[in-house]
Amino acid sequence: DAGVTQSPTHLIKTRGQQVTLRCSPKSGHDTVSWYQQALGQGPQFIFQYYEEEERQRGNFPDRFSGHQFPNYSSELNVNALLLGDSALYLCASSGGISNQPQHFGDGTRLSIL
Amino acid sequence: DQQVKQNSPSLSVQEGRISILNCDYTNSMFDYFLWYKKYPAEGPTFLISISSIKDKNEDGRFTVFLNKSAKHLSLHIVPSQPGDSAVYFCAASGLGGNNRKLIWGLGTSLAVNP
């Protein structure tokens, strides 16, 4: 039973570029959430997708956008990259039953030069 | 404004002894709390959770205690093992539990010494 998988594992970009990160949820899960974790910090909620729609959003600018596909996989897109976007980006999936914990992938380490 | 606070950045414990990790929160709307463990280069791994209608939840060596009046929860690990060495995050959510955004503390780095 595959868990949450994310790709790529590492990525290096330069300021102003655009990036797309991908996530496949754990089997049986239909909800995907994205988090940004800066060094020495806890993860910060970016947004959550369910039924191919953005359901909740954290305090992130519109440069951060996402998508969920019919197979529940998801993409995170970041435009006009800034140095401050350098972080670990975590994807978490969860099922429709309440009070079930979110399961995380190993993340994508994004470095902006 | 940090709504979930883990005031101890690090903790060192001897193997076999009890590890106690603490977490405080400020938002009384939180009704579901979770502890995650994180190793370097891996994503957070769920450990244990507790709903606000309970004051204790136990799973093997891990027990979480919730004191709603003090807005405080703690994770007890007994007995501690070297493999428990990791960063532990406390997280909270409101309005019905899981499928809501998680608000995280900064983490506590636990070192269990053989």
Side-chain angles (χ1 to χ4, degrees):
Chain A
D1 179 21
V4 179
T5 58
Q6 292 186 243
S7 63
T9 54
H10 294 87
L11 205 48
I12 300 174
K13 293 285 188 178
T14 57
R15 282 179 297 175
Q17 285 189 311
Q18 178 265 343
V19 68
T20 298
L21 310 181
R22 295 178 175 82
C23 172
S24 292
K26 180 179 170 66
S27 178
H29 286 180
D30 56 9
T31 302
V32 173
S33 303
W34 287 92
Y35 294 82
Q36 180 196 66
Q37 185 178 18
L39 204 60
Q41 303 292 314
Q44 298 290 315
F45 176 78
I46 303 175
F47 41 54
Q48 183 181 80
Y49 278 83
Y50 172 69
E51 292 186 335
E52 302 180 48
E53 288 189 15
E54 182 182 295
R55 298 292 177 167
Q56 278 194 294
R57 190 178 182 92
N59 293 326
F60 280 80
D62 292 345
R63 297 186 297 109
F64 290 76
S65 63
H67 189 78
Q68 185 179 35
F69 299 93
N71 66 353
Y72 309 121
S73 66
S74 177
E75 288 182 351
L76 164 64
N77 301 292
V78 187
N79 295 322
L81 287 166
L82 303 173
L83 293 177
D85 296 331
S86 295
L88 178 68
Y89 288 84
L90 294 163
C91 171
S93 72
S94 51
I97 299 173
S98 65
N99 286 349
Q100 295 297 313
Q102 295 183 18
H103 292 255
F104 284 80
D106 288 338
T108 294
R109 172 69 62 185
L110 176 63
S111 299
I112 311 301
L113 303 179
Chain B
D1 180 28
Q2 197 75 21
Q3 296 186 70
V4 176
K5 301 176 185 178
Q6 294 178 256
N7 292 321
S8 297
S10 62
L11 176 68
S12 183
V13 169
Q14 207 64 27
E15 181 179 4
R17 306 293 293 267
I18 184 171
S19 295
I20 300 176
L21 297 100
N22 294 303
C23 177
D24 297 294
Y25 61 96
T26 59
N27 191 337
S28 58
M29 296 300 293
F30 289 146
D31 64 359
Y32 186 58
F33 304 89
L34 308 91
W35 284 94
Y36 283 83
K37 176 171 72 173
K38 189 178 187 299
Y39 294 118
E42 294 184 12
T45 300
F46 169 74
L47 274 177
I48 192 168
S49 63
I50 188 166
S51 164
S52 60
I53 63 174
K54 295 187 175 182
D55 54 19
K56 176 183 174 181
N57 189 25
E58 194 171 351
D59 183 2
R61 297 187 298 115
F62 301 93
T63 303
V64 56
F65 296 91
L66 174 62
N67 182 335
K68 281 196 301 182
S69 60
K71 293 190 177 70
H72 176 83
L73 62 155
S74 61
L75 173 68
H76 292 209
I77 306 173
V78 183
S80 301
Q81 300 173 354
D84 296 329
S85 298
V87 178
Y88 288 77
F89 288 96
C90 171
S93 71
L95 302 175
N98 174 57
N99 284 334
R100 299 289 172 173
K101 65 180 181 182
L102 295 178
I103 308 299
W104 298 69
L106 297 182
T108 296
S109 179
L110 173 66
V112 180
N113 305 308

